[in-house]
Amino acid sequence: DSLIRAFKIVHEKYENTFLYLMGRGPEVEYLNGLIEESGLTQCIKIFYEKDRKKTIEYMRACDYAVVPSLWESFCYVAAEFMALEKPLIVNGVDSLNELMIDNETGYVLPAIETNGVRSVDEVLLAEKMVDFIESDVKAQMYARKAKERIEKFFVNEIYAEKMSKLIQTMLISNS
């Protein structure tokens, strides 16, 4: 819902913008209601695609991506957008802080947590979205660096190698 409210701010400045939400979950009805209530039914669409190839095609078609997650383990969606060399804005929670570097591989918004409840700064999110619209050169530079980072640190072979070394180190230290 934070992304929809942030997009409303963006859309007021740039009327020819569109937001495509990908995925499916228990909040679809709520989100559709919020889209309708916001008067944005002509420019926000929710897609759910079972076919993985089509999902990747949609991801490739994006100008940039936003991952406003409130909770994440390892965020495959962010990693996939990085691998596709797409400019990315994320909420700085959990593993997204390890995956992304603010103002280098994209924007990492400061995570907000009040009394155990997490949220997204919708105004700041809108500002970063506008920045990508207004500065394509910066957005593409971030996307290129994000792809380099994902290829350098987060491919399966590197993960497996590092885990193996960690396990060996732990076994030796416990001997």
Side-chain angles (χ1 to χ4, degrees), residues 153 155-174:
F153 297 108
V155 292
N156 287 336
E157 293 82 8
I158 292 170
Y159 175 77
E161 182 181 317
K162 287 183 177 184
M163 281 305 279
S164 179
K165 285 180 183 177
L166 176 64
I167 291 168
Q168 289 299 323
T169 303
M170 290 172 60
L171 289 174
I172 291 169
S173 67
N174 288 334

Side-chain angles (χ1 to χ4, degrees), residues 61-78:
C62 295
D63 292 325
Y64 62 90
V66 178
V67 180
S69 299
L70 299 177
W71 304 95
E72 276 297 343
S73 54
F74 183 80
C75 186
Y76 284 100
V77 170

Side-chain angles (χ1 to χ4, degrees), residues 4-104:
I4 293 168
R5 286 192 284 275
F7 179 74
K8 184 172 176 128
I9 297 168
V10 172
H11 192 69
E12 288 170 1
K13 185 169 186 173
Y14 291 97
E15 290 181 4
N16 196 25
T17 53
F18 299 90
L19 176 64
Y20 300 110
L21 303 173
M22 296 179 62
R24 187 178 208 171
E27 294 191 354
V28 170
E29 280 186 42
Y30 165 73
L31 294 174
N32 278 322
L34 184 59
I35 292 166
E36 193 170 316
E37 184 182 298
S38 301
L40 299 170
T41 56
Q42 297 303 311
C43 54
I44 299 179
K45 303 292 178 209
I46 299 176
F47 290 95
Y48 173 69
E49 184 56 63
K50 290 181 183 179
D51 181 349
R52 189 74 181 133
K53 279 187 172 182
K54 285 195 177 199
T55 299
I56 297 297
E57 287 174 25
Y58 288 139
M59 293 171 79
R60 278 195 176 124
C62 295
D63 292 325
Y64 62 90
V66 178
V67 180
S69 299
L70 299 177
W71 304 95
E72 276 297 343
S73 54
F74 183 80
C75 186
Y76 284 100
V77 170
E80 290 167 339
F81 275 114
M82 292 170 76
L84 290 169
E85 204 168 327
K86 293 296 176 180
L88 187 58
I89 303 166
V90 301
N91 193 30
V93 296
D94 308 321
S95 68
L96 288 167
N97 289 307
E98 296 172 38
L99 197 57
M100 298 278 295
I101 300 172
D102 190 35
N103 292 309
E104 184 178 316

